[in-house]
Structures are given as C-alpha cells and as structure tokens.
Amino acid sequence: MIGTTALLLVALIGTGIPVAAALGLLGYILSERYAFLPLTGALGELAWNASHDFLLVALPMFIMMGELMHRSGISERLFDALAPWFARIPGRLMHTNIAASAIFAATSGSSVATAATIGTVAIPNMARGGYSPPLFLGSIAAGGTLGILIPPSINMILYAVLSDTSVISLYAAGLIPGILLALLFSLTVLVLCLLRPGLDGPPADPQGLWRARLSGLIHLVPPLVLFLLVVGSIYAGIATPTEAAALGLTATLGLVALNHRLTWPVLAAAFEGTARSTGMIMLIVIAAFFLNMVMVSIGLIRAVTDLVLGLGWPPTAMILAIVVFYLLLGCVMETLSMMIATTPIVVPVVKALGFSPIWWGVVFVVLIEAALITPPVGLNLYVVQAVRRSGRFAEVALGALPFVAAMLALVLLLIAVPGLALWLPSLLAPRP
C-alpha cells in the first residue's frame, strides 16, 4: 500500500493537474479502496476545520506586505542603500543581492516574492557592472530562498499547522540558521570571486562612497522597523503571529502612504496578487488535510513509521537518508506540494527517531530552499529567468549550484549542532 500510494502521488502530479486536485484525488482513491467507511462525506466539515485555523489568517497579510513593498518602490530604495556598503568587497553587487534578499525576506515571508522583487531591481545592473551572468543570477535565486527561513515565514506557518508545532518556536529556531545561511551565501560569492577575479567585474569608484553609504541609511529604516514590529512583537509575547501580521500590514500601508504610492492601481495589483496566492495555498491545504485524514484512518502513517523504524538504522543515518530523499524529491516536485504532501508522513517518523519537530522544521525548510534552486522544477530559477527576459536558462541553473552546496553545508551543520536551531526556542520556553 505504501508503494502504491507513492506511485499514485508521483503519477498524479506528473500529469500536470493542479496540486490540490492531485492530493484530493489521491485521498479519494485511498478512501474508496482501503477505508472501512467512505470518508468523502466528511470533506465539507474538514474543509471548514482546515481553513478557519486562526494561524492561517496571517498568510494573506504577510503576502500582501510583500506585494505592497514590491509595488511601492520600498525594495528598490533598500537595494540602492545597501549597494555602497559592499562596493569594496569582491563580489560587490552579488553581496547586495543577498543582503537585500535577507532584509526583504524578513518582511515578506515569501521566496518567490523576494526573488522577483530583488531580481527586478538587480538584473539591470548586471550588464552595466560587467558581472558574470551565472553567478550573479544564481545569487538572486539563492538569496530569494531566504524568504522561507528568516522569519516571518509563510512556509513555517504551514509547517506549524500541519505538524501541530508552535510557530513562535519555529520562528525563533529559524532566525540564527537564516542569518548563518545568508553569511554562507556571501562567503560562497567571496571565495569564488577571489579564485576567479573576473566574475565580479571592474572595481568600484571609491569617490563619494561614504557619502552614499550614510545618505542611504534612511532607506534601511522602513524594512527594519517592519521586522522589529512583526518579529519583535511575537518574541516579546505582545502579539500572536496573526496579530503581528496585522500590525505589519498596517505599518506597511502607512509606509506606502508616506511614500505617496498608496494609489488605487497599487492597491488593486496588491489585492489581486494576494488573492491569487492565498487561494492557491488554501486549496492545497484543504486537499492535504483530507489526504492526511484518509492516510491516518487507513493506518498508512503508522505503517510508514513502523517500516522506517524496522530498518534498525541509527537515528542520524535515518535523518541523512531522509535528507537525500528530499534532495531527490525536490528535483521533480514543486516545493509547496512537497511540504504539504509529506509533512504528515515524515514528522511522525522524525519524532519516533527522537528528534525535535522544531529542529526538523528548520532542516526541512533548508531542504525546501535547495529544491527552489535545483532544476528542472526549481521555482526561483524560473522566476529569475522570467525577470531577466533573455539569455539561457542554463546560466541561472549553473549559477545556483554553489549556493546549493552552501545549503547542504548548513544542513550538515544543523545535524551536527542542533543547538543552532534549538537555542533561541529554549530561551523563549516558559520556565517551570
């Protein structure tokens, strides 16, 4: 039954039908074939229970924050303010791509939005600066993935709902690894540019550099204020993630208004983008909850857990095997569907092996980040190529490979030193 289910899921998604339809259809087939009583009659109640979770209300608000920042010009000013600070470092604007992505990620929570926004601003500077297209484009695609690791993260909200874990603990767990991954990306650029100096073009003109750095500091304030307002209010216990998302969206609307960009065309575009993304995510969530209910009721989750534990491998070896499985799966499966379809199956196995689901949530998100920049279905690669509008897709894919290696290094580091993810959540845990 386990093998049949896996083959059915791959076959349905491989046909190209929407992910929500594939998950729902698989749940229907399993229910009709294996369940003692048909479970489709409970679909209406299940859809309501899955969609009225208070935590999920934060999703459209975080999505709209990113939409508004992208369409109001705040992200462009952020990029221009950061660029002078990296002008004397080998790699120059590629470090700016990564730093701007990290800061934008801390307000939008979306990898695709981060890659599209920073790519729109950065790519026009690539030819003018004489940069190597593969590495420059790869830094944008990889930097965009930080949107789902550095809090607030949309994917971590979904993982928290699916795994019944605390999103506050997940946000705390993802902060240090997120900053560390951004540093590893910059280190990757630095090493490659030192080994091959031609990758980063001619040196920058030092004239007026400090003036540009100081004058641009004002444009770093809005995203940093948003980050402190959203994440700070969560960590301080002042607001729940949903309330923090509402605070962040209200503050973003105020910033857009102060920049005189709160117009009907900007709002209409932001509303449309938010509605499209939210509708897609929620339909997949409902289908995944139905599939999970069916798999639990027919004993499939228990069968998978017993099968894995029956192998008798050491826990670390099992985790490494799961990591390899996700690396391969990420090459052929879209990341959101991969997370929603596999979390209910893998998390019980991880718990049974004695690992923290909070720690696994961070490792899992890093693996999803790797899937975003590995062909043939790496979504961020296609986003960057679409923004670029010309050139070969292979250049983007090739340029992202060094950053995949950086992600794998972080995964191994998290396995060797779990405290990198668990230290901050332990500080926030209530004392007995």
Side-chain angles (χ1 to χ4, degrees):
M1 181 170 63
I2 297 172
T4 302
T5 302
L7 289 174
L8 271 174
L9 179 61
V10 173
L12 288 171
I13 293 178
T15 61
I17 65 175
V19 173
L23 297 177
L25 185 56
L26 177 60
Y28 173 77
I29 293 171
L30 292 177
S31 172
E32 294 297 315
R33 179 69 178 83
Y34 297 108
F36 179 72
L37 293 173
L39 301 173
T40 51
L43 187 56
E45 182 179 354
L46 181 70
W48 168 253
N49 291 333
S51 57
H52 87 285
D53 191 309
F54 184 63
L55 185 58
L56 291 175
V57 178
L59 288 179
M61 290 187 282
F62 282 134
I63 293 172
M64 191 167 181
M65 283 176 63
E67 290 278 343
L68 287 170
M69 288 188 66
H70 169 51
R71 301 177 189 281
S72 64
I74 294 176
S75 55
E76 184 174 352
R77 287 188 285 274
L78 166 66
F79 186 90
D80 292 339
L82 288 171
W85 292 95
F86 300 100
R88 304 297 296 273
I89 303 175
R92 289 177 264 284
L93 279 185
M94 288 183 278
H95 297 289
T96 307
N97 295 341
I98 295 165
S101 296
I103 295 176
F104 187 83
T107 56
S108 72
S110 167
S111 284
V112 172
T114 302
T117 300
I118 303 304
T120 302
V121 179
I123 287 176
N125 296 294
M126 181 176 67
R128 290 197 296 265
Y131 291 88
S132 165
L135 189 59
F136 190 92
L137 297 169
S139 70
I140 299 172
T145 65
L146 296 170
I148 61 173
L149 182 56
I150 296 176
S153 163
I154 292 172
N155 287 64
M156 282 189 173
I157 291 176
L158 294 174
Y159 176 84
V161 172
L162 293 168
S163 62
D164 193 26
T165 52
S166 164
V167 72
I168 298 176
S169 296
L170 283 169
Y171 278 1
L175 185 59
I176 292 176
I179 295 172
L180 185 57
L181 185 58
L183 294 175
L184 285 173
F185 284 168
S186 280
L187 180 62
T188 300
V189 170
L190 179 62
V191 170
L192 290 175
C193 289
L194 288 174
L195 293 175
R196 296 184 58 187
L199 293 176
D200 62 346
D205 183 3
Q207 287 290 340
L209 205 53
W210 273 107
R211 186 182 302 110
R213 288 171 177 171
L214 296 176
S215 63
L217 287 177
I218 187 66
H219 300 304
L220 299 179
V221 173
L224 292 177
V225 167
L226 290 177
F227 175 77
L228 292 174
L229 182 64
V230 174
V231 179
S233 63
I234 294 174
Y235 290 168
I238 299 172
T240 66
T242 302
E243 293 165 346
L247 285 172
L249 179 55
T250 303
T252 304
L253 286 167
L255 288 173
V256 175
L258 286 175
N259 286 304
H260 308 290
R261 297 296 300 273
L262 194 62
T263 62
W264 284 116
V266 168
L267 283 175
F271 286 144
E272 181 181 355
T274 302
R276 287 179 182 274
S277 298
T278 305
M280 175 194 69
I281 291 172
M282 288 307 304
L283 195 58
I284 294 175
V285 167
I286 291 171
F289 266 83
F290 172 63
L291 176 60
N292 186 42
M293 179 189 71
V294 172
M295 290 192 298
V296 170
S297 68
I298 65 177
L300 185 60
I301 301 293
R302 171 65 65 181
V304 171
T305 304
D306 291 342
L307 176 64
V308 172
L309 296 179
L311 295 174
W313 292 4
T316 302
M318 283 304 313
I319 287 294
L320 290 173
I322 294 172
V323 166
V324 172
F325 164 74
Y326 273 114
L327 289 174
L328 296 174
L329 188 63
C331 293
V332 297
M333 193 172 184
E334 188 272 328
T335 53
L336 185 61
S337 56
M338 182 172 74
M339 166 174 269
I340 293 178
T342 64
T343 294
I345 300 173
V346 174
V347 169
V349 174
V350 171
K351 288 181 178 179
L353 291 171
F355 293 97
S356 164
I358 299 296
W359 169 84
W360 171 250
V362 176
V363 175
F364 188 21
V365 167
V366 177
L367 293 172
I368 290 175
E369 288 184 311
L372 282 168
I373 55 174
T374 50
V377 294
L379 189 56
N380 274 24
L381 301 178
Y382 291 98
V383 169
V384 173
Q385 179 65 16
V387 173
R388 186 187 184 192
R389 299 182 181 177
S390 63
R392 295 180 297 122
F393 173 77
E395 289 183 326
V396 189
L398 180 64
L401 289 180
F403 301 100
V404 175
M407 292 175 178
L408 294 182
L410 179 61
V411 168
L412 295 176
L413 192 57
L414 285 168
I415 293 174
V417 190
L420 289 173
L422 296 177
W423 178 65
L424 272 182
S426 68
L427 293 181
L428 296 175
R431 301 299 182 202

